[in-house]
Amino acid sequence: MHDIKRFFIILTIALITSGCTELENAPYISDGTPPGQVSNIEIQTVPGGAYITYKLPNDPDLLYVKGIYEIREGEIAEQRASLYNDTLKIVGYGDTGEKKVKIISVDRGENESAPVEVTFRPETPSVHTTFATMNMIPDFGGVQYSWINENNASMAFILMARDSSGLRFPFETVYSAVDSGKYTLRGFGPVEREFGVVIRDRWENYSDTMLMALTPLF
């Protein structure tokens, strides 16, 4: 008798478990209705971008929120934030001109809300603020470059010099994200020549070019 009862208990548990598994694995069927728009938008500008905070729409099938913007003329960028987040990080601008971002809610069926457009002016990008701190001085067999990168942004420092024929071209590229950097370009005799540097960030934004006539130390 106990064995029969035990059999029915096991069978019941198996049926319940099987039913739950089928529900969990059932494909999502979109209702075809776009989610609502984000609201209560607040903007905090940062170098080369902004943090956009918002209130999520009350939609049970909301999946994520995306921001679409033109990083430069003809080049579109996109940033996404999941339904567990309420902030979009917009990055990559190379200047402080007025920018526009379209914020769109997307549900599990890839239905999109009507966009909410926001405008702002980003703070000066790190590629330019770092360039403003660049310094070059003669060093033994070359030139020492130094800079201050307050935001620890990842950047490439393209070091240039004129060769013996008088042509100027890149000699070396240094990658750095430290807040205070220093590097010496060596391999030159004690003869005056023109040295230079230009900085590039990860979004292909460039600084101006700094050029100086210097004589490396013997």
Side-chain angles (χ1 to χ4, degrees), residues 181-205:
K182 186 179 293 185
Y183 187 85
T184 298
L185 182 65
R186 301 187 188 278
F188 302 91
V191 178
E192 183 181 86
R193 70 177 71 217
E194 191 177 58
F195 293 88
V197 59
V198 61
I199 308 174
R200 182 187 72 235
D201 67 16
R202 57 187 294 190
W203 298 281
E204 297 297 319
N205 297 310

PDB file of all heavy atoms in Angstrom, residues 181-205:
ATOM      1  N   GLY A 181      51.324  61.231 -17.956  1.00  0.00           N
ATOM      2  CA  GLY A 181      52.173  60.403 -18.804  1.00  0.00           C
ATOM      3  C   GLY A 181      53.461  61.094 -19.214  1.00  0.00           C
ATOM      4  O   GLY A 181      53.561  62.328 -19.223  1.00  0.00           O
ATOM      5  N   LYS A 182      54.448  60.244 -19.557  1.00  0.00           N
ATOM      6  CA  LYS A 182      55.745  60.761 -19.983  1.00  0.00           C
ATOM      7  C   LYS A 182      56.395  59.714 -20.884  1.00  0.00           C
ATOM      8  O   LYS A 182      56.343  58.518 -20.598  1.00  0.00           O
ATOM      9  CB  LYS A 182      56.626  61.054 -18.767  1.00  0.00           C
ATOM     10  CG  LYS A 182      57.953  61.733 -19.081  1.00  0.00           C
ATOM     11  CD  LYS A 182      58.729  61.990 -17.789  1.00  0.00           C
ATOM     12  CE  LYS A 182      58.009  63.025 -16.924  1.00  0.00           C
ATOM     13  NZ  LYS A 182      58.830  63.373 -15.718  1.00  0.00           N
ATOM     14  N   TYR A 183      57.001  60.171 -21.987  1.00  0.00           N
ATOM     15  CA  TYR A 183      57.641  59.233 -22.903  1.00  0.00           C
ATOM     16  C   TYR A 183      58.735  59.967 -23.674  1.00  0.00           C
ATOM     17  O   TYR A 183      58.570  61.125 -24.066  1.00  0.00           O
ATOM     18  CB  TYR A 183      56.627  58.653 -23.887  1.00  0.00           C
ATOM     19  CG  TYR A 183      57.185  57.549 -24.742  1.00  0.00           C
ATOM     20  CD1 TYR A 183      57.213  56.226 -24.284  1.00  0.00           C
ATOM     21  CD2 TYR A 183      57.693  57.815 -26.015  1.00  0.00           C
ATOM     22  CE1 TYR A 183      57.741  55.206 -25.075  1.00  0.00           C
ATOM     23  CE2 TYR A 183      58.221  56.797 -26.796  1.00  0.00           C
ATOM     24  CZ  TYR A 183      58.233  55.508 -26.324  1.00  0.00           C
ATOM     25  OH  TYR A 183      58.764  54.500 -27.102  1.00  0.00           O
ATOM     26  N   THR A 184      59.864  59.262 -23.907  1.00  0.00           N
ATOM     27  CA  THR A 184      60.968  59.853 -24.653  1.00  0.00           C
ATOM     28  C   THR A 184      61.154  59.144 -25.984  1.00  0.00           C
ATOM     29  O   THR A 184      61.301  57.922 -26.032  1.00  0.00           O
ATOM     30  CB  THR A 184      62.283  59.783 -23.847  1.00  0.00           C
ATOM     31  OG1 THR A 184      62.139  60.532 -22.636  1.00  0.00           O
ATOM     32  CG2 THR A 184      63.434  60.376 -24.649  1.00  0.00           C
ATOM     33  N   LEU A 185      61.116  59.909 -27.043  1.00  0.00           N
ATOM     34  CA  LEU A 185      61.367  59.406 -28.395  1.00  0.00           C
ATOM     35  C   LEU A 185      62.861  59.553 -28.653  1.00  0.00           C
ATOM     36  O   LEU A 185      63.388  60.663 -28.679  1.00  0.00           O
ATOM     37  CB  LEU A 185      60.562  60.223 -29.404  1.00  0.00           C
ATOM     38  CG  LEU A 185      60.666  59.806 -30.874  1.00  0.00           C
ATOM     39  CD1 LEU A 185      60.080  58.417 -31.083  1.00  0.00           C
ATOM     40  CD2 LEU A 185      59.954  60.818 -31.764  1.00  0.00           C
ATOM     41  N   ARG A 186      63.555  58.421 -28.834  1.00  0.00           N
ATOM     42  CA  ARG A 186      65.015  58.443 -28.947  1.00  0.00           C
ATOM     43  C   ARG A 186      65.481  58.028 -30.347  1.00  0.00           C
ATOM     44  O   ARG A 186      64.693  57.653 -31.197  1.00  0.00           O
ATOM     45  CB  ARG A 186      65.637  57.526 -27.902  1.00  0.00           C
ATOM     46  CG  ARG A 186      65.282  57.885 -26.462  1.00  0.00           C
ATOM     47  CD  ARG A 186      66.067  57.053 -25.463  1.00  0.00           C
ATOM     48  NE  ARG A 186      65.613  57.238 -24.103  1.00  0.00           N
ATOM     49  CZ  ARG A 186      65.985  58.253 -23.310  1.00  0.00           C
ATOM     50  NH1 ARG A 186      66.819  59.176 -23.769  1.00  0.00           N
ATOM     51  NH2 ARG A 186      65.534  58.346 -22.075  1.00  0.00           N
ATOM     52  N   GLY A 187      66.819  58.094 -30.509  1.00  0.00           N
ATOM     53  CA  GLY A 187      67.439  57.681 -31.768  1.00  0.00           C
ATOM     54  C   GLY A 187      67.840  58.827 -32.663  1.00  0.00           C
ATOM     55  O   GLY A 187      68.003  58.643 -33.878  1.00  0.00           O
ATOM     56  N   PHE A 188      68.043  60.021 -32.076  1.00  0.00           N
ATOM     57  CA  PHE A 188      68.384  61.201 -32.866  1.00  0.00           C
ATOM     58  C   PHE A 188      69.686  61.824 -32.365  1.00  0.00           C
ATOM     59  O   PHE A 188      69.973  61.842 -31.172  1.00  0.00           O
ATOM     60  CB  PHE A 188      67.263  62.245 -32.795  1.00  0.00           C
ATOM     61  CG  PHE A 188      65.937  61.729 -33.281  1.00  0.00           C
ATOM     62  CD1 PHE A 188      65.032  61.147 -32.396  1.00  0.00           C
ATOM     63  CD2 PHE A 188      65.603  61.800 -34.619  1.00  0.00           C
ATOM     64  CE1 PHE A 188      63.809  60.670 -32.843  1.00  0.00           C
ATOM     65  CE2 PHE A 188      64.382  61.319 -35.078  1.00  0.00           C
ATOM     66  CZ  PHE A 188      63.487  60.745 -34.190  1.00  0.00           C
ATOM     67  N   GLY A 189      70.441  62.370 -33.296  1.00  0.00           N
ATOM     68  CA  GLY A 189      71.671  63.060 -32.932  1.00  0.00           C
ATOM     69  C   GLY A 189      71.403  64.476 -32.461  1.00  0.00           C
ATOM     70  O   GLY A 189      70.279  64.975 -32.567  1.00  0.00           O
ATOM     71  N   PRO A 190      72.460  65.146 -31.937  1.00  0.00           N
ATOM     72  CA  PRO A 190      72.293  66.503 -31.401  1.00  0.00           C
ATOM     73  C   PRO A 190      72.204  67.560 -32.507  1.00  0.00           C
ATOM     74  O   PRO A 190      73.004  68.499 -32.568  1.00  0.00           O
ATOM     75  CB  PRO A 190      73.540  66.677 -30.535  1.00  0.00           C
ATOM     76  CG  PRO A 190      74.568  65.841 -31.217  1.00  0.00           C
ATOM     77  CD  PRO A 190      73.833  64.644 -31.756  1.00  0.00           C
ATOM     78  N   VAL A 191      71.219  67.391 -33.359  1.00  0.00           N
ATOM     79  CA  VAL A 191      70.991  68.331 -34.453  1.00  0.00           C
ATOM     80  C   VAL A 191      69.538  68.810 -34.385  1.00  0.00           C
ATOM     81  O   VAL A 191      68.623  68.006 -34.206  1.00  0.00           O
ATOM     82  CB  VAL A 191      71.248  67.657 -35.818  1.00  0.00           C
ATOM     83  CG1 VAL A 191      70.951  68.639 -36.954  1.00  0.00           C
ATOM     84  CG2 VAL A 191      72.686  67.155 -35.908  1.00  0.00           C
ATOM     85  N   GLU A 192      69.355  70.120 -34.528  1.00  0.00           N
ATOM     86  CA  GLU A 192      67.992  70.645 -34.438  1.00  0.00           C
ATOM     87  C   GLU A 192      67.115  70.089 -35.563  1.00  0.00           C
ATOM     88  O   GLU A 192      67.513  70.034 -36.720  1.00  0.00           O
ATOM     89  CB  GLU A 192      68.001  72.174 -34.519  1.00  0.00           C
ATOM     90  CG  GLU A 192      66.599  72.780 -34.349  1.00  0.00           C
ATOM     91  CD  GLU A 192      66.595  74.287 -34.449  1.00  0.00           C
ATOM     92  OE1 GLU A 192      66.507  74.790 -35.600  1.00  0.00           O
ATOM     93  OE2 GLU A 192      66.687  74.961 -33.402  1.00  0.00           O
ATOM     94  N   ARG A 193      65.929  69.670 -35.172  1.00  0.00           N
ATOM     95  CA  ARG A 193      64.941  69.209 -36.146  1.00  0.00           C
ATOM     96  C   ARG A 193      63.549  69.427 -35.561  1.00  0.00           C
ATOM     97  O   ARG A 193      63.409  69.699 -34.365  1.00  0.00           O
ATOM     98  CB  ARG A 193      65.163  67.736 -36.508  1.00  0.00           C
ATOM     99  CG  ARG A 193      64.831  66.746 -35.401  1.00  0.00           C
ATOM    100  CD  ARG A 193      65.029  65.326 -35.903  1.00  0.00           C
ATOM    101  NE  ARG A 193      66.436  64.996 -36.085  1.00  0.00           N
ATOM    102  CZ  ARG A 193      66.910  64.236 -37.067  1.00  0.00           C
ATOM    103  NH1 ARG A 193      66.082  63.749 -37.969  1.00  0.00           N
ATOM    104  NH2 ARG A 193      68.188  63.961 -37.153  1.00  0.00           N
ATOM    105  N   GLU A 194      62.553  69.288 -36.389  1.00  0.00           N
ATOM    106  CA  GLU A 194      61.180  69.515 -35.932  1.00  0.00           C
ATOM    107  C   GLU A 194      60.567  68.221 -35.399  1.00  0.00           C
ATOM    108  O   GLU A 194      60.609  67.190 -36.061  1.00  0.00           O
ATOM    109  CB  GLU A 194      60.328  70.048 -37.081  1.00  0.00           C
ATOM    110  CG  GLU A 194      58.954  70.563 -36.642  1.00  0.00           C
ATOM    111  CD  GLU A 194      58.174  71.136 -37.807  1.00  0.00           C
ATOM    112  OE1 GLU A 194      57.945  70.405 -38.790  1.00  0.00           O
ATOM    113  OE2 GLU A 194      57.799  72.326 -37.740  1.00  0.00           O
ATOM    114  N   PHE A 195      60.021  68.306 -34.197  1.00  0.00           N
ATOM    115  CA  PHE A 195      59.302  67.185 -33.587  1.00  0.00           C
ATOM    116  C   PHE A 195      57.842  67.591 -33.411  1.00  0.00           C
ATOM    117  O   PHE A 195      57.508  68.773 -33.344  1.00  0.00           O
ATOM    118  CB  PHE A 195      59.900  66.823 -32.223  1.00  0.00           C
ATOM    119  CG  PHE A 195      61.283  66.257 -32.298  1.00  0.00           C
ATOM    120  CD1 PHE A 195      62.397  67.093 -32.284  1.00  0.00           C
ATOM    121  CD2 PHE A 195      61.480  64.874 -32.397  1.00  0.00           C
ATOM    122  CE1 PHE A 195      63.676  66.573 -32.363  1.00  0.00           C
ATOM    123  CE2 PHE A 195      62.759  64.352 -32.472  1.00  0.00           C
ATOM    124  CZ  PHE A 195      63.868  65.203 -32.466  1.00  0.00           C
ATOM    125  N   GLY A 196      56.979  66.605 -33.324  1.00  0.00           N
ATOM    126  CA  GLY A 196      55.563  66.924 -33.185  1.00  0.00           C
ATOM    127  C   GLY A 196      54.780  65.811 -32.529  1.00  0.00           C
ATOM    128  O   GLY A 196      55.293  64.717 -32.262  1.00  0.00           O
ATOM    129  N   VAL A 197      53.495  66.087 -32.275  1.00  0.00           N
ATOM    130  CA  VAL A 197      52.606  65.093 -31.674  1.00  0.00           C
ATOM    131  C   VAL A 197      51.162  65.445 -32.016  1.00  0.00           C
ATOM    132  O   VAL A 197      50.794  66.622 -32.118  1.00  0.00           O
ATOM    133  CB  VAL A 197      52.782  65.033 -30.134  1.00  0.00           C
ATOM    134  CG1 VAL A 197      52.487  66.387 -29.488  1.00  0.00           C
ATOM    135  CG2 VAL A 197      51.895  63.950 -29.528  1.00  0.00           C
ATOM    136  N   VAL A 198      50.356  64.416 -32.227  1.00  0.00           N
ATOM    137  CA  VAL A 198      48.914  64.561 -32.382  1.00  0.00           C
ATOM    138  C   VAL A 198      48.269  63.434 -31.590  1.00  0.00           C
ATOM    139  O   VAL A 198      48.825  62.329 -31.516  1.00  0.00           O
ATOM    140  CB  VAL A 198      48.490  64.518 -33.877  1.00  0.00           C
ATOM    141  CG1 VAL A 198      48.858  63.197 -34.520  1.00  0.00           C
ATOM    142  CG2 VAL A 198      46.995  64.777 -34.020  1.00  0.00           C
ATOM    143  N   ILE A 199      47.118  63.691 -30.977  1.00  0.00           N
ATOM    144  CA  ILE A 199      46.465  62.700 -30.115  1.00  0.00           C
ATOM    145  C   ILE A 199      45.185  62.210 -30.777  1.00  0.00           C
ATOM    146  O   ILE A 199      44.436  63.006 -31.366  1.00  0.00           O
ATOM    147  CB  ILE A 199      46.136  63.298 -28.730  1.00  0.00           C
ATOM    148  CG1 ILE A 199      47.375  63.937 -28.115  1.00  0.00           C
ATOM    149  CG2 ILE A 199      45.584  62.211 -27.794  1.00  0.00           C
ATOM    150  CD1 ILE A 199      47.095  64.666 -26.808  1.00  0.00           C
ATOM    151  N   ARG A 200      44.944  60.905 -30.662  1.00  0.00           N
ATOM    152  CA  ARG A 200      43.717  60.296 -31.201  1.00  0.00           C
ATOM    153  C   ARG A 200      43.023  59.516 -30.094  1.00  0.00           C
ATOM    154  O   ARG A 200      43.671  58.813 -29.323  1.00  0.00           O
ATOM    155  CB  ARG A 200      44.068  59.335 -32.343  1.00  0.00           C
ATOM    156  CG  ARG A 200      42.843  58.688 -32.999  1.00  0.00           C
ATOM    157  CD  ARG A 200      43.265  57.610 -34.001  1.00  0.00           C
ATOM    158  NE  ARG A 200      43.791  56.430 -33.330  1.00  0.00           N
ATOM    159  CZ  ARG A 200      44.993  55.893 -33.574  1.00  0.00           C
ATOM    160  NH1 ARG A 200      45.802  56.433 -34.465  1.00  0.00           N
ATOM    161  NH2 ARG A 200      45.387  54.815 -32.925  1.00  0.00           N
ATOM    162  N   ASP A 201      41.682  59.642 -30.003  1.00  0.00           N
ATOM    163  CA  ASP A 201      40.966  58.857 -28.995  1.00  0.00           C
ATOM    164  C   ASP A 201      40.350  57.609 -29.632  1.00  0.00           C
ATOM    165  O   ASP A 201      40.503  57.364 -30.835  1.00  0.00           O
ATOM    166  CB  ASP A 201      39.917  59.699 -28.254  1.00  0.00           C
ATOM    167  CG  ASP A 201      38.755  60.137 -29.147  1.00  0.00           C
ATOM    168  OD1 ASP A 201      38.585  59.570 -30.247  1.00  0.00           O
ATOM    169  OD2 ASP A 201      38.002  61.046 -28.741  1.00  0.00           O
ATOM    170  N   ARG A 202      39.640  56.815 -28.860  1.00  0.00           N
ATOM    171  CA  ARG A 202      39.119  55.528 -29.326  1.00  0.00           C
ATOM    172  C   ARG A 202      37.993  55.669 -30.341  1.00  0.00           C
ATOM    173  O   ARG A 202      37.606  54.697 -30.988  1.00  0.00           O
ATOM    174  CB  ARG A 202      38.640  54.702 -28.130  1.00  0.00           C
ATOM    175  CG  ARG A 202      37.588  55.391 -27.302  1.00  0.00           C
ATOM    176  CD  ARG A 202      37.255  54.651 -26.045  1.00  0.00           C
ATOM    177  NE  ARG A 202      36.628  53.374 -26.300  1.00  0.00           N
ATOM    178  CZ  ARG A 202      36.067  52.625 -25.366  1.00  0.00           C
ATOM    179  NH1 ARG A 202      36.101  53.030 -24.100  1.00  0.00           N
ATOM    180  NH2 ARG A 202      35.500  51.496 -25.668  1.00  0.00           N
ATOM    181  N   TRP A 203      37.447  56.879 -30.482  1.00  0.00           N
ATOM    182  CA  TRP A 203      36.368  57.111 -31.452  1.00  0.00           C
ATOM    183  C   TRP A 203      36.877  57.824 -32.703  1.00  0.00           C
ATOM    184  O   TRP A 203      36.097  58.406 -33.449  1.00  0.00           O
ATOM    185  CB  TRP A 203      35.242  57.909 -30.793  1.00  0.00           C
ATOM    186  CG  TRP A 203      34.632  57.176 -29.646  1.00  0.00           C
ATOM    187  CD1 TRP A 203      33.708  56.159 -29.700  1.00  0.00           C
ATOM    188  CD2 TRP A 203      34.920  57.365 -28.255  1.00  0.00           C
ATOM    189  NE1 TRP A 203      33.417  55.714 -28.436  1.00  0.00           N
ATOM    190  CE2 TRP A 203      34.147  56.434 -27.526  1.00  0.00           C
ATOM    191  CE3 TRP A 203      35.762  58.227 -27.555  1.00  0.00           C
ATOM    192  CZ2 TRP A 203      34.189  56.350 -26.133  1.00  0.00           C
ATOM    193  CZ3 TRP A 203      35.818  58.148 -26.177  1.00  0.00           C
ATOM    194  CH2 TRP A 203      35.034  57.215 -25.473  1.00  0.00           C
ATOM    195  N   GLU A 204      38.191  57.820 -32.885  1.00  0.00           N
ATOM    196  CA  GLU A 204      38.824  58.427 -34.061  1.00  0.00           C
ATOM    197  C   GLU A 204      38.668  59.942 -34.100  1.00  0.00           C
ATOM    198  O   GLU A 204      38.634  60.548 -35.176  1.00  0.00           O
ATOM    199  CB  GLU A 204      38.280  57.813 -35.360  1.00  0.00           C
ATOM    200  CG  GLU A 204      38.560  56.334 -35.512  1.00  0.00           C
ATOM    201  CD  GLU A 204      40.046  56.007 -35.585  1.00  0.00           C
ATOM    202  OE1 GLU A 204      40.774  56.755 -36.257  1.00  0.00           O
ATOM    203  OE2 GLU A 204      40.471  55.012 -34.960  1.00  0.00           O
ATOM    204  N   ASN A 205      38.589  60.565 -32.927  1.00  0.00           N
ATOM    205  CA  ASN A 205      38.654  62.019 -32.842  1.00  0.00           C
ATOM    206  C   ASN A 205      40.114  62.421 -32.668  1.00  0.00           C
ATOM    207  O   ASN A 205      40.854  61.770 -31.919  1.00  0.00           O
ATOM    208  CB  ASN A 205      37.836  62.535 -31.653  1.00  0.00           C
ATOM    209  CG  ASN A 205      36.357  62.220 -31.793  1.00  0.00           C
ATOM    210  OD1 ASN A 205      35.756  62.480 -32.819  1.00  0.00           O
ATOM    211  ND2 ASN A 205      35.760  61.644 -30.760  1.00  0.00           N
TER     212      ASN A 205
END
